Amino acid sequence: MPSAAIFDASVVVRWVVDDPLTPAAIEAGKIWAPVAPTLLGSEFANALRGQARAGRYERDWCLLQMGRLTRLIDLRDEREYWPLALKLGLERDHAVYDCVYIAMAISLALPLITADSRLTRKFADLPGLDLRPLQTG
């Protein structure tokens, strides 16, 4: 059984939406047992909405992917990570919802798998964070 890792929405969306990082995202999902805060569901839904709005995917296809989400990843309550997420967001001037993933990864001592280059730049040097950015090829 693979070890657990925190996956953010930038990776999970690529499991279903075609992108240059899709193969790396899918491979990461095979290597690690994916875990995320429940807020991932809202971010995933919003990304699918954007894809439908842009005409890339049909509405029904997006709804089907949304229905599959809880079978693809272990979603966990994030309320206990909010104080640390806020602290990190204030210290690094970054969106607190992204910092929830970081706080969860630090608190659970799990790697954070991300395709978010801005997050990677801002937090690569954060003590206690095992950051694993997705890369092409």
Side-chain angles (χ1 to χ4, degrees):
M1 177 146 171
S3 298
I6 306 301
F7 279 60
D8 72 7
S10 70
V11 177
V12 176
V13 168
R14 285 175 169 91
W15 290 346
V16 298
V17 172
D18 192 33
D19 177 271
L21 287 174
T22 294
I26 292 169
E27 184 62 24
K30 292 176 183 174
I31 294 170
W32 301 95
V35 175
T38 56
L39 74 90
L40 174 92
S42 297
E43 289 190 284
F44 187 78
N46 197 56
L48 291 173
R49 177 191 144 298
Q51 294 291 319
R53 190 166 184 246
R56 290 187 197 102
Y57 295 92
E58 295 292 325
R59 177 182 179 274
D60 289 344
W61 181 89
C62 291
L63 290 168
L64 178 67
Q65 300 315 307
M66 193 71 224
R68 295 178 56 221
L69 183 63
T70 57
R71 292 189 304 277
L72 300 174
I73 191 161
D74 177 8
L75 296 174
R76 299 184 186 174
D77 188 285
E78 76 262 4
R79 287 177 285 187
E80 69 185 275
Y81 308 114
W82 291 346
L84 178 55
L86 176 57
K87 179 180 179 286
L88 293 168
L90 290 166
E91 288 175 356
R92 303 270 174 138
D93 189 26
H94 196 81
V96 174
Y97 58 83
D98 279 347
C99 293
V100 169
Y101 295 93
I102 295 166
M104 183 180 245
I106 291 170
S107 298
L108 297 175
L110 296 175
L112 172 59
I113 315 299
T114 186
D116 184 334
S117 58
R118 188 165 168 253
L119 182 144
T120 299
R121 280 192 307 276
K122 281 193 170 185
F123 291 95
D125 66 341
L126 186 66
L129 178 61
D130 180 2
L131 194 58
R132 308 281 180 104
L134 284 188
Q135 298 173 352
T136 55

